[in-house]
Amino acid sequence: MVDPLSSVLDGTDPLSMFAATADPVALAAATDSSRRKRDRDDNSVVGSDFEPWANKRGEILARYTTTEKLSINLFMGSEKGKAGTATLAMSEKVRTRLEELDDFEEGSQKELLNLTQQDYVNRIEELNQSLKDAWASDQKVKALKIVIQCSKLLSDTSVIQFYPSKFVLITDILDTFGKLVYERIFSMCVDNRSVLPDHFSPENANDTAKETCLNWFFKIASIRELIPRFYVEASILKCNKFLSKTGISECLPRLTCMIRGIGDPLVSVYARAYLCRVGMEVAPHLKETLNKNFFDFLLTFKQIHGDTVQNQLVVQGVELPSYLPLYPPAMDWIFQCISYHAPEALLTEMMERCKKLGNNALLLNSVMSAFRAEFIATRSMDFIGMIKECDESGFPKHLLFRSLGLNLALADPPESDRLQILNEAWKVITKLKNSQDYINCAEVWVEYTCKHFTKREVNTVLADVIKHMTPDRAFEDSYPQLQLIIKKVIAYFHDFSVLFSVEKFLPFLDMFQKESVRVEVCKCIMDAFIKHQQEPTKDPVILNALLHVCKTMHDSVNALTLEDEKRMLSYLINGFIKMVSFGRDFEQQLSFYVESRSMFCNLEPVLVQLIHSVNRLAMETRKLMKGNHSRKTAAFVRACVAYCFITIPSLAGIFTRLNLYLHSGQVALANQCLSQADAFFKAAISLIPEVPKMINIDGKMRPSESFLLEFLCNFFSTLLIVPDHPEHGVLFLVRELLNVIQDYTWEDNSDEKIRIYTCVLHLLSAMSQETYLYHIDKVDSNDSLYGGDSKFLAENNKLCETVMAQILEHLKALAKDEALKRQSSLGLSFFNSILAHGDLRNNKLNQLSVNLWHLAQRHGCADTRTMVKTLEYIKKQSKQPDMTHLTELALRLPLQTRT
Amino acid sequence: MGTALDIKIKRANKVYHAGEVLSGVVVISSKDSVQHQGVSLTMEGTVNLQLSAKSVGVFEAFYNSVKPIQIINSTIEMVKPGKFPSGKTEIPFEFPLHAKGNKVLYETYHGVFVNIQPQKGKFTPSPVDFTITPETLQNVKERALLPKFLLRGHLNSTNCVITQPLTGELVVESSEAAIRSVELQLVRVETCGCAEGYARDATEIQNIQIADGDVCRGLSVPIYMVFPRLFTCPTLETTNFKVEFEVNIVVLLHPDHLITENFPLKLCRI
């Protein structure tokens, strides 16, 4: 016997039939990438100025949370006649069969109780995954069942505070489903030759695709329950494109009407939001549906205050003021969709319709959140009037003022209304008792105040905030909002003299009592100062305030402060120091630097900046006096030099100290402070033995020798012009330095010492000239002191010989196999030095150079090309007058042939 | 090795009418070559009448089934005995659809009694307005206990084209009790007559919820139902059997009141 009904249940029902005819998903995957591209193009029909749903998602999930336990009731079986009505005419036998079938694999009922919110979210995510898995493994029936069960969850309004978040989670699943179905049907239209164009018409879709599409719609039309039927059909709205050109435009109004059947106003408004969302995505040009949704919503608006809802709230223990804020996400979205590029007339009409309804706070709020800011701003006074008329017991008023404030921050109200708006709004805001409500509202209005009014009004507002937030240390819970207020004030007051003359600004800062927040705020202020301050300043108000701010930042530094943080703070403080100028009042400038030093002693980069600033001050003085210091300026300059001299030792970085000693010495020399300059150079020389072999650079240990070499070369150049001290011997500093170099523990196997000696030779050679290459104005260097005195030259020669002996000894020591290459290159470099700086008419030197030439080539380590070039150079030089002796030398320098 | 045989019919929706040509391919796929005794294809159409378990005893249902009536039967030989090569072999075929002798081809449908129907029908819209109040109800034991309510509505037509949805509107003008749900129940009534009498069987074939929860008063809720393709056919009355359809509007009120209003439908295909 064949029971026709059972044959249906055995798997020949339309769903499994079409599932059986469905192609593997492979095809879909193959064209997936091109699809995604097309989808993007389709979306682009809505301009980029339309805030997408994705932006709202996170916000809603973060805002609507619950600590109550949730439950998911998934009933995957066939729809066993619910509550008797359906079984009216069903035979016993069929029912038994149905019940048996409920036990098939995915057909079991799962009720998950006592889930925390996180568990719930995870479960939904699991369902989303199992939907994708089911689809991928070609279990289309199961996929549809999952979607139906998920959308059923949207009819459940227990734990109502969580409903908006639930909506977000579940519509994500619906979106996934809609995409899967659309892509699959689309892939069926792709034959071997061609892919459907982006905007295809139904004629391009083939019969199989159309039939599959129809099957989906038929199956969905038979879903028993209203809410799942609505959501699932809406999710595949786009598929209407395969069936007919007018499909979507016929479907949308029908679905809109269908929502009227949803009794719960919250469930229904979210259903409308979903339909608008899908509509905007698929057919943004169909504005009528959006409007229809809005007007239908207004028609059912009174239900919110109806008995059914009130009873439900009593059962759940939810108050109206916390129930109504569940509506805005959905309402805002609907309003936003409608108002997008909507003509002014429509907006006005919508507003009028809202006005007519009693207790319209909820509507007002959404109008203000969603409509163009310009539209709202020009009608600010109207809105304030309407807000005032609202019933206090319903939607919280401060939220309305907040929404209005947000609009006014974006668009300007008519000039004549501005002050009145502020007064009216603030009159309400200042009366708010709850400090959180107050600050959320005030924070928004600060921007409007800063934008349109002077410091007087801003001061009043700040004073009011202080007054509200100080009792019970309410500010402790509102640091983010208070920070925002500061940021907005700074953003509008670029003139810091005006900013700090706002009396309540500094008292406002005092509310930031948690150190980390206070430092953050200080950073913001300094950042703005550096960005906006154009001219150097000496305004005592600014200086006092900012020194205080910088001190706060500096004092936050402790042993645990990260390097990056220190660097950031130093950068900000330095920026401030650089912008302080007392003009020609140099003494005050110096005393400012003295004060700064005592304040910022823990930040090395700041001290370095101060030393540079003081050096610069000394040089400015010199420039002003055109090099001729008066007694007064000379004393001042010496004070500057002294400042540097006592500050440098407190620094930690060894090369920082060395370079600053050298630099400050140069400045002292330039200002004719000879003994002070000597002191700097001596300090530098005595510091050299402390240079460690390895130094830390950006967190990595590096050998220090190359840095030392660089510093010393620089030092030598300065030493050329430093005149000898009358009480110390000839070339006192050079000798001192040579001793230090001699005693320094150099790296084994390193030639740095010899390279330095070669540089010393260059220095000595330059010193033996009749007139030195460069001078400092008003400082007599050794050339004019000694005037080419033979005793001086003899001393110089003696030094040269000592140094050369050292070099030669080192070269000898390198005559080992592994060092031959180094010997060759050092030899050649020494040869080049002699060639450049030595007098080769001297026979001994001449012979030495010939020996070096041979040494360089002896072991075949020399680079032949370099040797050839060197020789060519010598020959060329020899053609110049006074250089003929080089001809002879060239003849004595054979080139080694490669054999 | 396994050999798979599949019949693929050309038309995607698999709906054919009398006089048309049914065409398709037989696909034989196998890994190795297959020896066979020939392939022939038989097309058979039957009407199966059976007695419902409800109207007679279960055992009678087994024994007393009416013999299937054959209305179409044709066989074609597709391939002579031989061998199929390995891989996929497709053999196209065509059948003209002609009824056997003087029989009529009925439309296929799966019912409790299998049934079928002539091809053409007439369609004239017949709108119905209705009002439901406690007073209009029949079968009420204690009318006084019922909460007061007033529902108004209309069906755009009780004569329906089977491919078009049933449409209409329902307005809850007032109701003392909160509404839990409003549903549309599509019922098929099959009557099978024979010499001994007749058997009548009513089956719910679809139930669609059109309102969930306490809907807004005075706002019309759409009545909209797509007829399921497999379980409905045009209304049919022959000498031996009848297939008729009805729709019930079922309203559930809090706490536990059930109100139904019945509308007979006439389905046709044009």
Side-chain angles (χ1 to χ4, degrees):
Chain A
M1 187 203 83
V2 187
D3 182 339
L5 247 190
S6 64
S7 75
V8 164
L9 292 161
D10 286 341
T12 45
D13 67 306
L15 234 196
S16 16
M17 264 165 50
F18 98 77
T21 57
D23 286 343
V25 205
L27 242 177
T31 49
D32 210 287
S33 57
S34 63
R35 186 75 16 73
R36 241 175 266 138
K37 189 173 158 263
R38 186 170 17 252
D39 280 353
R40 217 181 306 128
D41 295 345
D42 282 354
N43 291 346
S44 69
V45 179
V46 180
S48 55
D49 52 340
F50 184 77
E51 192 188 357
W53 173 256
N55 288 7
K56 312 259 179 190
R57 250 189 110 254
E59 218 174 281
I60 297 174
L61 286 177
R63 188 164 158 206
Y64 297 96
T65 56
T66 182
T67 50
E68 281 179 53
K69 295 295 183 193
L70 301 155
S71 65
I72 298 182
N73 191 351
L74 292 178
F75 181 63
M76 297 300 230
S78 56
E79 293 175 358
K80 176 165 61 173
K82 226 189 171 184
T85 51
T87 56
L88 190 71
M90 215 186 268
S91 72
E92 261 330 293
K93 198 178 74 178
V94 171
R95 205 188 313 168
T96 332
R97 273 181 173 280
L98 276 173
E99 275 160 15
E100 280 165 18
L101 282 163
D102 285 342
D103 289 331
F104 74 87
E105 191 240 317
E106 77 269 31
S108 49
Q109 177 172 2
K110 279 193 237 164
E111 188 163 14
L112 304 160
L113 295 167
N114 279 327
L115 298 173
T116 64
Q117 185 182 320
Q118 191 51 49
D119 289 342
Y120 193 93
V121 174
N122 294 345
R123 288 286 169 178
I124 299 283
E125 186 39 49
E126 275 171 31
L127 281 171
N128 202 356
Q129 195 49 51
S130 51
L131 165 68
K132 286 180 195 160
D133 292 346
W135 191 270
S137 59
D138 221 23
Q139 293 174 276
K140 306 277 181 330
V141 190
K142 189 178 171 190
L144 181 63
K145 277 181 178 159
I146 291 173
V147 176
I148 294 174
Q149 292 307 317
C150 287
S151 21
K152 245 185 218 179
L153 297 175
L154 284 175
S155 55
D156 173 18
T157 52
S158 56
V159 195
I160 206 158
Q161 301 93 317
F162 186 62
Y163 193 85
S165 292
K166 182 157 80 175
F167 171 79
V168 168
L169 295 171
I170 289 171
T171 51
D172 279 354
I173 296 187
L174 287 165
D175 288 347
T176 310
F177 176 73
K179 224 173 87 205
L180 288 173
V181 174
Y182 182 81
E183 286 179 1
R184 222 200 85 69
I185 298 178
F186 193 90
S187 73
M188 295 173 122
C189 303
V190 182
D191 58 18
N192 304 332
R193 272 156 291 146
S194 61
V195 178
L196 270 191
D198 282 356
H199 294 284
F200 60 91
S201 66
E203 297 89 65
N204 300 126
N206 64 26
D207 287 351
T208 328
K210 279 183 180 161
E211 193 58 25
T212 312
C213 198
L214 264 180
N215 265 326
W216 277 115
F217 282 114
F218 270 111
K219 182 61 197 169
I220 289 166
S222 70
I223 297 174
R224 203 191 79 86
E225 282 173 69
L226 174 67
I227 290 170
R229 188 167 72 244
F230 164 77
Y231 274 104
V232 179
E233 180 166 1
S235 74
I236 64 161
L237 182 71
K238 199 175 177 185
C239 295
N240 276 298
K241 280 163 75 176
F242 297 106
L243 295 178
S244 75
K245 270 195 173 122
T246 53
I248 292 174
S249 58
E250 285 160 12
C251 243
L252 275 172
R254 183 169 57 75
L255 288 171
T256 305
C257 279
M258 197 166 156
I259 299 175
R260 289 178 167 201
I262 302 177
D264 189 301
L266 187 68
V267 176
S268 124
V269 77
Y270 274 91
R272 291 190 193 284
Y274 185 66
L275 188 61
C276 290
R277 188 171 121 197
V278 177
M280 273 310 262
E281 206 177 297
V282 176
H285 55 282
L286 297 174
K287 291 278 183 196
E288 273 310 304
T289 315
L290 299 171
N291 300 348
K292 181 91 169 54
N293 266 302
F294 171 73
F295 293 125
D296 267 10
F297 170 69
L298 290 189
L299 288 174
T300 56
F301 188 73
K302 56 179 185 268
Q303 275 190 292
I304 295 176
H305 301 280
D307 290 343
T308 314
V309 170
Q310 298 304 327
N311 293 342
Q312 191 191 7
L313 293 184
V314 170
V315 170
Q316 293 204 27
V318 177
E319 301 272 329
L320 199 59
S322 44
Y323 171 69
L324 291 182
L326 300 176
Y327 283 83
M331 286 170 61
D332 290 358
W333 179 258
I334 298 172
F335 283 41
Q336 185 195 330
C337 290
I338 299 170
S339 62
Y340 178 68
H341 287 181
E344 192 96 356
L346 177 67
L347 299 185
T348 317
E349 194 200 332
M350 284 173 70
M351 216 176 112
E352 289 306 317
R353 296 277 286 261
C354 293
K355 260 191 202 173
K356 279 181 198 148
L357 289 166
N359 195 355
N360 48 19
L362 198 52
L363 290 167
L364 265 182
N365 187 56
S366 288
V367 165
M368 289 191 286
S369 314
F371 282 17
R372 286 190 287 273
E374 295 77 21
F375 180 87
I376 308 295
T378 46
R379 293 164 179 74
S380 302
M381 286 311 293
D382 289 355
F383 275 98
I384 288 180
M386 285 188 278
I387 295 173
K388 278 181 169 170
E389 282 164 27
C390 285
D391 181 4
E392 187 66 60
S393 67
F395 195 79
K397 254 184 202 181
H398 63 90
L399 291 183
L400 294 175
F401 273 104
R402 188 183 145 83
S403 301
L404 182 60
L406 286 171
N407 279 299
L408 293 175
L410 292 173
D412 303 339
E415 187 108 36
S416 52
D417 289 349
R418 286 180 189 170
L419 185 61
Q420 206 188 343
I421 292 170
L422 182 64
N423 284 335
E424 292 288 344
W426 208 267
K427 226 188 273 170
V428 179
I429 296 170
T430 193
K431 280 186 196 129
L432 291 171
K433 297 253 169 8
N434 180 318
S435 62
Q436 279 301 311
D437 293 348
Y438 171 82
I439 196 67
N440 281 329
C441 218
E443 174 243 305
V444 169
W445 279 85
V446 165
E447 182 155 9
Y448 173 72
T449 317
C450 293
K451 204 168 169 185
H452 299 297
F453 300 97
T454 62
K455 65 174 191 180
R456 196 177 130 248
E457 287 81 2
V458 174
N459 194 42
T460 316
V461 168
L462 291 184
D464 195 56
V465 175
I466 295 173
K467 200 176 100 200
H468 275 82
M469 300 312 285
T470 313
D472 302 330
R473 299 176 70 79
F475 50 77
E476 283 180 347
D477 300 323
S478 314
Y479 283 137
Q481 291 93 329
L482 293 173
Q483 257 177 296
L484 274 175
I485 293 182
I486 287 286
K487 275 187 189 160
K488 282 170 187 166
V489 173
I490 295 172
Y492 285 96
F493 286 86
H494 289 169
D495 186 340
F496 275 69
S497 58
V498 176
L499 179 67
F500 287 119
S501 65
V502 174
E503 280 166 35
K504 291 293 179 184
F505 187 75
L506 289 176
F508 194 94
L509 289 186
D510 289 340
M511 281 200 291
F512 296 100
Q513 296 196 354
K514 190 174 162 196
E515 190 179 55
S516 59
V517 182
R518 196 166 65 224
V519 171
E520 274 312 304
V521 173
C522 289
K523 278 192 204 166
C524 283
I525 297 175
M526 289 317 297
D527 207 41
F529 178 78
I530 292 171
K531 210 185 277 170
H532 299 302
Q533 185 71 22
Q534 306 286 347
E535 297 284 317
T537 178
K538 59 173 179 178
D539 183 332
V541 179
I542 298 183
L543 293 192
N544 270 333
L546 288 185
L547 268 177
H548 174 72
V549 167
C550 288
K551 179 112 177 73
T552 309
M553 294 198 295
H554 170 267
D555 292 351
S556 73
V557 174
N558 57 34
L560 295 176
T561 310
L562 295 172
E563 277 306 314
D564 269 350
E565 174 74 4
K566 282 194 207 166
R567 202 171 308 164
M568 184 68 204
L569 294 177
S570 306
Y571 162 76
L572 292 171
I573 297 177
N574 285 347
F576 165 60
I577 290 173
K578 281 190 235 170
M579 284 317 267
V580 174
S581 165
F582 291 90
R584 290 181 64 166
D585 191 348
F586 289 166
E587 282 178 10
Q588 185 151 14
Q589 186 87 37
L590 184 61
S591 65
F592 169 75
Y593 291 141
V594 172
E595 195 187 346
S596 302
R597 182 177 59 190
S598 66
M599 275 185 172
F600 307 126
C601 54
N602 286 333
L603 288 170
E604 188 158 323
V606 177
L607 291 181
V608 172
Q609 173 62 43
L610 284 170
I611 292 167
H612 282 303
S613 295
V614 170
N615 276 332
R616 196 170 142 259
L617 189 61
M619 292 311 279
E620 290 273 322
T621 316
R622 179 177 180 272
K623 197 170 139 198
L624 197 75
M625 300 305 287
K626 300 200 174 65
N628 298 314
H629 281 299
S630 67
R631 190 188 297 166
K632 200 176 156 203
T633 58
F636 175 74
V637 165
R638 277 198 290 278
C640 290
V641 171
Y643 179 101
C644 297
F645 193 71
I646 59 169
T647 311
I648 295 172
S650 62
L651 300 175
I654 186 114
F655 281 102
T656 319
R657 267 186 283 165
L658 284 174
N659 285 321
L660 281 174
Y661 273 135
L662 178 57
H663 188 184
S664 304
Q666 288 164 346
V667 171
L669 205 56
N671 283 293
Q672 298 124 47
C673 305
L674 297 185
S675 55
Q676 283 85 349
D678 275 351
F680 278 117
F681 297 136
K682 272 189 221 163
I685 291 167
S686 58
L687 193 57
I688 290 173
E690 289 176 29
V691 174
K693 281 191 182 160
M694 304 294 271
I695 52 166
N696 186 337
I697 292 165
D698 293 336
K700 277 186 198 147
M701 295 308 283
R702 295 258 169 83
S704 64
E705 279 187 355
S706 58
F707 294 98
L708 189 55
L709 179 65
E710 191 185 305
F711 167 72
L712 287 173
C713 290
N714 204 349
F715 199 2
F716 294 147
S717 309
T718 309
L719 282 181
L720 174 64
I721 44 166
V722 179
D724 278 347
H725 193 281
E727 284 165 25
H728 298 99
V730 174
L731 298 180
F732 163 76
L733 286 172
V734 178
R735 281 168 200 279
E736 217 44 8
L737 185 53
L738 277 174
N739 286 338
V740 169
I741 294 168
Q742 175 70 33
D743 294 342
Y744 186 76
T745 28
W746 297 93
E747 195 80 45
D748 298 336
N749 298 325
S750 132
D751 302 323
E752 296 300 332
K753 186 174 166 186
I754 300 311
R755 289 191 203 288
I756 291 167
Y757 278 148
T758 320
C759 293
V760 173
L761 280 183
H762 301 168
L763 169 68
L764 292 173
S765 155
M767 277 185 162
S768 59
Q769 308 286 318
E770 261 170 56
T771 318
Y772 292 169
L773 286 167
Y774 44 87
H775 290 96
I776 289 182
D777 193 23
K778 303 213 165 41
V779 174
D780 289 329
S781 296
N782 284 342
D783 53 348
S784 37
L785 278 186
Y786 296 110
D789 180 55
S790 58
K791 242 170 112 186
F792 171 73
L793 288 177
E795 280 292 332
N796 196 337
N797 270 338
K798 244 170 88 187
L799 267 180
C800 281
E801 273 167 26
T802 323
V803 172
M804 280 166 79
Q806 290 269 353
I807 297 176
L808 291 174
E809 202 169 304
H810 184 82
L811 280 176
K812 230 184 259 171
L814 286 179
K816 282 176 244 148
D817 280 353
E818 70 276 7
L820 288 176
K821 196 149 194 184
R822 276 163 59 201
Q823 190 193 40
S824 159
S825 81
L826 266 187
L828 188 64
S829 110
F830 190 24
F831 173 84
N832 280 333
S833 288
I834 294 176
L835 189 64
H837 298 277
D839 181 359
L840 285 170
R841 280 169 293 206
N842 179 318
N843 278 338
K844 265 164 88 184
L845 208 54
N846 202 315
Q847 184 55 45
L848 177 65
S849 60
V850 173
N851 289 348
L852 285 170
W853 179 265
H854 284 288
L855 180 71
Q857 292 194 103
R858 185 176 299 160
H859 298 286
C861 297
D863 176 25
T864 320
R865 271 177 61 196
T866 318
M867 301 306 276
V868 171
K869 278 210 168 140
T870 312
L871 199 58
E872 272 169 13
Y873 170 75
I874 297 173
K875 283 177 183 160
K876 210 170 134 196
Q877 285 289 311
S878 67
K879 294 203 176 96
Q880 291 190 12
D882 306 339
M883 292 290 194
T884 44
H885 59 281
L886 287 182
T887 326
E888 191 201 341
L889 177 69
L891 290 174
R892 296 174 62 195
L893 303 178
L895 268 177
Q896 199 182 40
T897 48
R898 286 200 176 271
T899 47
Chain B
M1 290 308 290
T3 306
L5 194 89
D6 191 15
I7 302 173
K8 283 191 175 161
I9 293 172
K10 232 181 195 168
R11 219 173 266 183
N13 63 5
K14 299 180 181 111
V15 174
Y16 291 89
H17 300 280
E20 287 180 339
V21 173
L22 173 84
S23 62
V25 284
V26 173
V27 183
I28 296 142
S29 48
S30 144
K31 268 196 180 163
D32 309 310
S33 54
V34 184
Q35 196 79 35
H36 66 93
Q37 302 299 317
V39 177
S40 63
L41 193 65
T42 305
M43 176 175 64
E44 199 180 46
T46 58
V47 178
N48 253 324
L49 294 177
Q50 50 201 201
L51 294 175
S52 155
K54 207 167 140 191
S55 38
V56 286
V58 178
F59 290 105
E60 276 173 292
F62 277 104
Y63 297 115
N64 292 1
S65 295
V66 185
K67 256 195 192 164
I69 307 164
Q70 202 174 50
I71 49 169
I72 192 165
N73 191 3
S74 55
T75 304
I76 45 170
E77 188 180 30
M78 301 182 76
V79 190
K80 294 226 155 57
K83 215 174 181 183
F84 286 126
S86 61
K88 212 162 134 184
T89 314
E90 288 195 4
I91 309 155
F93 65 84
E94 274 187 357
F95 274 118
L97 288 177
H98 289 304
K100 204 170 153 189
N102 59 350
K103 296 211 168 61
V104 194
L105 275 189
Y106 297 115
E107 190 169 320
T108 312
Y109 105 103
H110 303 249
V112 175
F113 313 107
V114 171
N115 203 339
I116 11 195
Q117 119 93 36
Q119 294 296 329
K120 296 285 175 197
K122 288 185 288 282
F123 178 75
T124 41
S126 54
V128 180
D129 290 325
F130 58 88
T131 307
I132 312 174
T133 62
E135 286 69 38
T136 63
L137 297 178
Q138 295 158 359
N139 287 327
V140 188
K141 277 173 200 146
E142 294 204 54
R143 210 171 287 270
L145 290 180
L146 271 181
K148 287 200 165 46
F149 59 85
L150 170 60
L151 310 177
R152 260 188 242 281
H154 68 90
L155 292 176
N156 290 337
S157 173
T158 51
N159 284 347
C160 299
V161 180
I162 197 162
T163 53
Q164 302 290 316
L166 171 75
T167 54
E169 269 184 354
L170 177 78
V171 185
V172 180
E173 296 289 1
S174 65
S175 170
E176 277 181 1
I179 289 160
R180 270 166 58 180
S181 176
V182 180
E183 285 156 22
L184 298 177
Q185 187 183 38
L186 182 64
V187 176
R188 180 185 56 217
V189 183
E190 291 158 293
T191 318
C192 202
C194 49
E196 297 88 40
Y198 69 95
R200 192 171 183 275
D201 199 351
T203 320
E204 173 191 284
I205 50 177
Q206 180 163 278
N207 191 321
I208 293 286
Q209 188 187 35
I210 58 165
D212 180 13
D214 199 15
V215 291
C216 192
R217 306 290 185 263
L219 192 68
S220 68
V221 172
I223 291 175
Y224 184 90
M225 178 164 69
V226 176
F227 293 109
R229 286 191 294 188
L230 283 177
F231 304 110
T232 47
C233 65
T235 303
L236 174 74
E237 241 174 290
T238 68
T239 43
N240 283 340
F241 49 86
K242 277 204 289 195
V243 182
E244 291 155 311
F245 294 88
E246 293 171 358
V247 69
N248 289 321
I249 294 178
V250 183
V251 181
L252 280 159
L253 295 180
H254 267 291
D256 208 12
H257 298 285
L258 185 121
I259 301 152
T260 45
E261 186 78 14
N262 179 275
F263 302 92
L265 300 178
K266 250 196 163 53
L267 302 190
C268 65
R269 186 183 296 278
I270 42 173

